[in-house]
Amino acid sequence: MEAAGPRSRDARGRAASQPGSRAEKSPPERKVYMDYNATTPLEPEVIRAMTEAMQEAWGNPSSPYPAGRKAKEIINAARENLAKMIGGRPQDMIFTSGGTESNNLVIHSVVKHFHKIHAAVGGTAEHPSPVEGALPHIITCTVEHDSILLPLEHLLEERVAEVTFVPVSKVNGQAEAEDILAAVRPATCLVTIMLANNETGVIMPVPEISRRVRALNQQRAAGGLPGVLVHTDAAQALGKQRVDVRDLGVDFLTVVGHKFYGPRIGALYIRGLGELTPLYPMLFGGGQERNFRPGTENTPMIAGLGKAAELVAENCEAYEAHMRDVRDYLEERLAAEFGKRIHLNSQFPGTERLPNTCNFSILGPQLQGRLVLAQCRTLLASMGAACHSDHGDRPSPVLLSCGVPLDVARNAIRLSVGRGTTRAEVDLVVQDLKQAVARLEGQA
């Protein structure tokens, strides 16, 4: 498989001078990138699609002349590719600036819809509404991305909504369907649970949650209660395993391009947009995206997103098999090199996880993840979520939520392999980690 990730080349960075001259420099050390859960490089085909769009489809997509029509065609084709990737309909896809906007748009919409429906239905003195005086209630779990957790915390602080943060199981790392359903109240309007966790790779039981919410909604309708919508942030799962909205049974699904070798924009799937599932714009303007997300479309980025989605739809099984093979080899090599000193933080008995993710700790008082990575000369990786990179030695809240002990969580390193990662690179990384540990323990 042709490597798509960052690569070191002997020629890169060499001085142009003749051997033996004073200006001669040694070649830079080989670097191996293993932080594909943070972001991925653009596939060459994606770059080509974006470049062609910039050159040939520079017109306003709303304009009737050729460059505008070409832009509109590219946008429509990208929408179809996105829909195909997730098993949805093109008319149910809206382009956004990224995962953060998509997630916020879902939260904004369900809160707005709750108030609109409550105002329309209302109640009387003799027959008060079952949710009279209640705030909209949203259920999520404790290991969500900040683009879910922080908007919900803000709504809670502003007394705009009530929120239940369901802890994940310390046995399997999942938000369990039973716990989610137990948190439902009369005013519950949304359940939002990520499809796969970015730090542990644990896959959440979203199909089961959706199925049980649908059954519950039938009972709620009979009692005059509002239906509960289900959203999943699929940022980490797309491009690593098959994702199909029909199997998931969700009403909303968040797409993030830069997690599957596409550009840094995103999309939102809305089941039966405007018919079955409500969506309320946060922005108002020129009417693009059927008024749900106005603003002149960014044709080159959309072209790249569409091409990235097309590649996933065509090659996902091969991507998944390759990443699983390399990740499993990585864990074998870590166990062989460090023995009982390795604690695999992302392995939970009987729980599925992403094929590319390995979260581990090397046990030892001087081996905090940040210090080990700082000593590495080959490995490029992180302790966990990129958005928490400024938290110093504070252990990951995700790992603590999953029951990983404090001293183990503090030493955590997350490695995530990509489409082009090789076993030879794994060998380099494990040797690099071994030398980093030796340097740290030699300083003690």
Side-chain angles (χ1 to χ4, degrees):
M1 180 177 296
E2 182 180 337
R7 284 285 181 269
S8 298
R9 293 181 172 84
D10 291 341
R12 187 178 296 168
R14 281 186 177 170
S17 56
Q18 295 296 317
S21 70
R22 293 181 63 185
E24 183 181 1
K25 297 179 182 177
S26 60
E29 291 192 51
R30 174 86 181 267
K31 299 295 182 183
V32 177
Y33 180 77
M34 285 196 182
D35 205 15
Y36 288 88
N37 282 7
T39 197
T40 59
L42 296 175
E43 283 280 12
E45 295 96 322
V46 171
I47 295 173
R48 281 197 293 272
M50 294 172 67
T51 302
E52 289 172 6
M54 283 187 267
Q55 292 173 334
E56 301 173 12
W58 49 266
N60 190 314
S62 300
S63 299
Y65 40 78
R69 290 199 304 271
K70 177 69 173 176
K72 180 62 75 175
E73 289 169 6
I74 286 173
I75 291 168
N76 290 340
R79 202 184 309 274
E80 289 178 6
N81 283 331
L82 276 176
K84 183 178 180 182
M85 177 178 69
I86 64 169
R89 305 185 306 168
Q91 60 265 40
D92 290 341
M93 305 299 306
I94 294 293
F95 292 110
T96 67
S97 63
T100 294
E101 182 186 342
S102 293
N103 288 344
N104 276 264
L105 182 55
V106 170
I107 294 168
H108 162 84
S109 293
V110 295
V111 170
K112 186 121 179 164
H113 188 65
F114 179 91
H115 289 301
K116 182 176 180 180
I117 293 301
H118 181 61
V121 175
T124 64
E126 295 179 2
H127 302 285
S129 167
V131 293
E132 188 75 45
L135 293 173
H137 175 239
I138 298 171
I139 300 170
T140 191
C141 76
T142 53
V143 300
E144 294 290 319
H145 190 269
D146 276 352
S147 60
I148 289 289
L149 294 178
L150 295 184
L152 293 180
E153 289 174 4
H154 175 74
L155 294 181
L156 197 56
E157 291 168 2
E158 297 291 318
R159 296 290 299 152
V160 174
E162 295 288 343
V163 184
T164 299
F165 299 93
V166 175
V168 294
S169 166
K170 289 179 167 44
V171 175
N172 58 29
Q174 293 179 321
E176 296 189 317
E178 195 66 37
D179 295 333
I180 298 296
L181 270 290
V184 173
R185 306 174 186 173
T188 301
C189 56
L190 177 69
V191 170
T192 174
I193 301 293
M194 63 184 6
L195 187 49
N197 185 262
N198 47 313
E199 294 192 36
T200 63
V202 165
I203 296 169
M204 300 295 179
V206 173
E208 182 187 0
I209 292 169
S210 296
R211 177 178 55 79
R212 295 188 61 176
V213 168
R214 282 198 304 273
L216 180 65
N217 278 340
Q218 293 180 350
Q219 302 172 23
R220 288 170 67 90
L225 293 174
V228 179
L229 298 170
V230 179
H231 165 247
T232 191
D233 180 348
Q236 287 297 337
L238 288 166
K240 299 166 189 165
Q241 65 171 42
R242 180 175 173 272
V243 174
D244 192 309
V245 292
R246 295 164 294 192
D247 296 337
L248 295 173
V250 294
D251 302 294
F252 302 99
L253 182 141
T254 292
V255 175
V256 180
H258 75 99
K259 303 295 188 181
F260 55 95
Y261 294 74
R264 288 185 182 142
I265 62 166
L268 180 65
Y269 161 82
I270 309 97
R271 183 176 65 91
L273 174 59
E275 302 167 1
L276 301 174
T277 306
L279 192 72
Y280 294 83
M282 291 192 294
L283 304 173
F284 298 89
Q288 294 85 356
E289 294 299 287
R290 289 162 287 168
N291 282 313
F292 292 113
R293 206 291 184 178
T296 303
E297 301 93 335
N298 189 338
T299 307
M301 298 289 267
I302 291 173
L305 185 64
K307 176 56 70 173
E310 181 183 353
L311 293 173
V312 169
E314 293 174 352
N315 304 302
C316 191
E317 288 185 8
Y319 295 155
E320 180 178 3
H322 173 77
M323 288 186 282
R324 190 180 306 280
D325 175 75
V326 175
R327 191 275 313 276
D328 290 350
Y329 178 68
L330 168 64
E331 292 183 344
E332 291 170 11
R333 290 286 292 113
L334 288 171
E337 197 63 59
F338 295 101
K340 293 183 179 180
R341 300 189 69 187
I342 278 286
H343 186 280
L344 295 173
N345 304 319
S346 53
Q347 284 193 0
F348 297 90
T351 300
E352 287 187 67
R353 58 183 171 136
L354 293 174
N356 78 319
T357 305
C358 171
N359 193 307
F360 67 94
S361 299
I362 305 172
L363 305 183
Q366 296 92 29
L367 303 181
Q368 287 79 26
R370 178 180 61 84
L371 299 180
V372 173
L373 289 173
Q375 287 291 329
C376 286
R377 295 171 180 173
T378 298
L379 173 63
L380 302 174
S382 63
M383 295 158 54
C387 52
H388 294 161
S389 60
D390 60 347
H391 285 194
D393 282 335
R394 279 186 287 168
S396 161
V398 169
L399 296 183
L400 296 178
S401 296
C402 293
V404 177
L406 182 69
D407 58 332
V408 177
R410 191 175 283 119
N411 288 18
I413 295 171
R414 180 194 66 184
L415 299 187
S416 46
V417 303
R419 298 172 186 175
T421 309
T422 66
R423 286 187 171 213
E425 288 176 323
V426 168
D427 292 335
L428 287 173
V429 162
V430 173
Q431 183 65 21
D432 193 30
L433 286 166
K434 181 181 177 182
Q435 293 170 352
V437 168
R439 282 191 287 271
L440 287 170
E441 294 188 325
Q443 294 170 4

